[in-house]
Amino acid sequence: IKKDLSIAFDDRILNWRAVEGQVMPVMEADTNGILTEYQPEVITYQYSCDADQTPKQEVNDKWHCNPPYNSIAHFHGNAKPW
């Protein structure tokens, strides 16, 4: 059984590993900015990511502004370009 785990969220990757004789895993690494390295230049912004945001917006919507989410576009309803 493998007991190593990596969790990717926002632009952050957490690596956890099992320790013999312990019930809880131990965090091995917490890496920020790793996905930015592999993302091409963003050609347009959504969710006002290019504007200053209020503290409430930062908490609720800021995740849209980081890789890999800021390079994905979702078109709603009849506003699709095709």
Side-chain angles (χ1 to χ4, degrees), residues 64-78:
H64 290 290
C65 301
N66 294 312
Y69 310 106
N70 63 344
S71 61
I72 299 169
H74 183 111
F75 297 95
H76 298 273
N78 294 330

Side-chain angles (χ1 to χ4, degrees), residues 11-15 29-34:
D11 194 19
R12 184 175 175 194
I13 297 178
L14 302 175
N15 296 88
D30 182 352
T31 310
N32 285 305
I34 192 97

